[in-house]
Amino acid sequence: MSLARSYDLIRSPVITEKSTQGSIYNQVTFRVDRRATKPQIKQAVEELFKVEVTAVNTLNQQGKIKRFRGRTGRRNAVKKAIVTLAEGHAIDVATGV
């Protein structure tokens, strides 16, 4: 997989209270392309961050219907990947790539 394709697959890290709790279990959460598969996500993370990945769990979060100033709108649907890293490996999501 090319480096440009890896950057296309991994959109951004998810930095929430729940996702940062995953660091206890050596996990990092990313927003990824909705068409990305688990093997593609694993390969992209290993290429970009030079770490060893042991597992990838994914979830599709459907967009919510929200109201803003009386108008209805819809949030975008996103796919998230929870990546478990091997012992001794870490990713600092605050610094970027």
Side-chain angles (χ1 to χ4, degrees):
M1 179 182 304
S2 69
L3 194 60
R5 178 70 177 137
S6 296
Y7 278 110
D8 288 339
L9 285 179
I10 307 297
R11 298 280 168 86
S12 65
V14 177
I15 302 176
T16 61
E17 189 173 348
K18 187 172 183 178
S19 67
T20 53
Q21 288 293 321
S23 64
I24 297 169
Y25 304 104
N26 220 15
Q27 295 178 336
V28 183
T29 306
F30 295 102
R31 282 188 188 87
V32 296
D33 184 15
R34 295 200 57 206
R35 297 165 295 192
T37 63
K38 289 182 181 184
Q40 290 173 339
I41 294 167
K42 178 179 178 178
Q43 186 178 5
V45 170
E46 287 178 343
E47 267 184 23
L48 291 176
F49 298 101
K50 308 293 189 257
V51 294
E52 185 180 339
V53 175
T54 57
V56 177
N57 296 332
T58 60
L59 61 101
N60 283 305
Q61 185 177 17
Q62 297 303 316
K64 285 181 166 181
I65 296 176
K66 300 297 256 179
R67 295 179 66 81
F68 180 72
R69 293 188 180 179
R71 294 182 176 257
T72 58
R74 186 183 253 317
R75 286 187 187 168
N76 292 335
V78 295
K79 185 172 189 175
K80 294 181 187 178
I82 302 167
V83 178
T84 304
L85 304 175
E87 283 295 321
H89 292 273
I91 296 174
D92 186 15
V93 294
T95 60
V97 177

